[in-house]
Amino acid sequence: TMYSGNQTSENQTSSTYFILMGLFDQTKYAAFLYTLIFVLFLMALTGNALLILLIHREPCLHTPMYFFISQLSLIDLMYICATVPKMLMDQVTGDYTISHLGCGVQMFSYLTLAGAEVFLLSAMAYDRYAAICRPLYYPLLMNQKVCHLFMSGCWFLGMFDGLLLTVMTMSLPFCQFRKIMSFFCEAPALLKLSCSNTPLYEMFMYLCCILMLLAPIIIVSGSYVLILRLIHSINSAEGRRKAFATCSSHMVVVLLFFGAGIYTNMLPRSYHTGEQDMTVSAFYTIITPVLNPLIYSLRNKDVTGALRNLMLSG
């Protein structure tokens, strides 16, 4: 069972190791649930890789919007690979330990990718605003150079946040009790294992998360308020439908990702338990990368057309 595996790992481990509790600790349906996670993992890999391939090879998809969607797929692909393979291997081998260095690398990876995705979603919202509200200036506002600058900014801010929080978290002194109540090394779960007094660090981390989420939320909200106001002023029903269709997929993705991020990082700790945190973490690390390519492909005629062309040429 998973429990005995954890016990063995705990006996073998030294002070330089942590023990990951896994996602379905002591659940009798663990084997079935982990198989389901493996299927979802394969779906996320296939869906995101296929979307990147379609956007790369189809000339009609060489636009700023699809450039950002391909980058989102790349981030999602890396995001799920940073956490799920380790969790599945732990379940197969029965060894739930992770080294101090491995824990730091995993934390840096997921924080960098989550940060980059947050800022990318705001860049995508601005892109939709420019396309719908400033169509005449759109080629100037969102040329190739601007798109690459936006993307560089997303990666830089993500890496800065990842490096800052990882160095601070991993330099804390940890007690002998080293069971991480999560399926990967995430900062809130590690904080609970620290021997030192952490309120000051927790406050700093909370402020970091608020700043990381607040600026993108303002950009996204502002963009969509202006878009919806313009859509409301369009007289023809067809015009309104077309304008709304161009940003509806992105709105769904934003609500999913930001909703999970706000719940985990901005709600006070007393409002949610460790188990609830783990469920939400699973949602945005496993489910979101599976849903994103589906949302962008099923709701998009250009992408489904490109997929049809790929299948016919194959």
Side-chain angles (χ1 to χ4, degrees):
T1 63
M2 185 158 185
Y3 181 69
S4 61
N6 279 343
Q7 287 288 92
T8 310
S9 297
E10 192 174 17
N11 293 338
Q12 290 171 348
T13 192
S14 72
S15 61
T16 57
Y17 281 78
F18 295 100
I19 300 160
L20 296 165
M21 290 304 289
L23 195 51
F24 308 110
D25 187 35
Q26 299 181 52
T27 307
K28 61 178 179 177
Y29 303 111
F32 167 74
L33 292 168
Y34 279 110
T35 306
L36 183 64
I37 293 291
F38 179 62
V39 171
L40 289 172
F41 174 66
L42 291 179
M43 282 174 68
L45 287 188
T46 310
N48 287 296
L50 186 60
L51 202 50
I52 293 167
L53 174 69
L54 288 175
I55 291 167
H56 177 71
R57 76 185 296 276
E58 196 67 37
C60 74
L61 300 181
H62 293 174
T63 65
M65 182 175 84
Y66 291 110
F67 167 72
F68 288 135
I69 291 173
S70 71
Q71 291 295 309
L72 180 69
S73 283
L74 180 64
I75 289 172
D76 280 343
L77 212 117
M78 293 165 74
Y79 199 53
I80 200 165
C81 287
T83 54
V84 173
K86 166 70 180 153
M87 177 178 69
L88 294 174
M89 281 302 294
D90 289 353
Q91 182 62 19
V92 171
T93 60
D95 178 15
Y96 302 96
T97 59
I98 186 168
S99 68
H100 195 276
L101 176 65
C103 196
V105 169
Q106 194 178 55
M107 187 185 295
F108 172 71
S109 303
Y110 102 82
L111 282 170
T112 296
L113 292 161
E117 183 155 340
V118 161
F119 286 105
L120 175 57
L121 289 171
S122 32
M124 290 169 80
Y126 174 75
D127 171 67
R128 291 301 80 214
Y129 157 76
I132 294 166
C133 301
R134 295 283 181 270
L136 296 175
Y137 295 100
Y138 184 68
L140 190 68
L141 290 171
M142 296 303 294
N143 59 43
Q144 196 176 30
K145 190 181 177 182
V146 171
C147 290
H148 285 117
L149 273 171
F150 269 139
M151 209 55 240
S152 302
C154 293
W155 281 111
F156 173 77
L157 289 165
M159 286 178 79
F160 177 76
D161 179 59
L163 192 65
L164 188 70
L165 291 178
T166 302
V167 168
M168 288 189 72
T169 307
M170 297 312 292
S171 60
L172 290 169
F174 294 103
C175 305
Q176 286 303 106
F177 182 76
R178 291 183 158 239
K179 281 187 177 179
I180 299 172
M181 294 301 292
S182 184
F183 59 98
F184 68 103
C185 286
E186 54 180 337
L190 271 160
L191 272 184
K192 292 171 185 169
L193 305 183
S194 178
C195 304
S196 62
N197 203 14
T198 59
L200 194 67
Y201 174 82
E202 282 182 49
M203 180 59 71
F204 177 78
M205 192 172 145
Y206 185 68
L207 287 171
C208 263
C209 291
I210 285 179
L211 287 172
M212 283 289 287
L213 284 167
L214 207 59
I217 285 169
I218 290 167
I219 295 165
V220 171
S221 307
S223 297
Y224 280 114
V225 164
L226 294 167
I227 288 168
L228 293 170
R229 201 170 72 178
L230 183 79
I231 289 172
H232 183 69
S233 68
I234 296 171
N235 291 324
S236 74
E238 180 65 16
R240 275 201 297 270
R241 191 193 63 77
K242 275 187 178 176
F244 191 73
T246 61
C247 57
S248 57
S249 297
H250 183 246
M251 285 170 83
V252 172
V253 170
V254 163
L255 288 170
L256 289 174
F257 194 80
F258 277 85
I262 290 166
Y263 177 86
T264 308
N265 300 303
M266 288 174 79
L267 272 184
R269 291 264 165 256
S270 54
Y271 283 83
H272 43 102
T273 63
E275 287 76 16
Q276 287 169 335
D277 281 351
M278 199 160 21
T279 306
V280 176
S281 294
F283 177 80
Y284 68 79
T285 52
I286 301 165
I287 308 298
T288 309
V290 177
L291 291 177
N292 284 358
L294 291 173
I295 291 165
Y296 281 115
S297 58
L298 295 176
R299 297 173 60 85
N300 195 303
K301 286 176 184 174
D302 292 334
V303 176
T304 49
L307 183 59
R308 205 176 299 114
N309 291 345
L310 179 70
M311 290 168 78
L312 289 170
S313 65

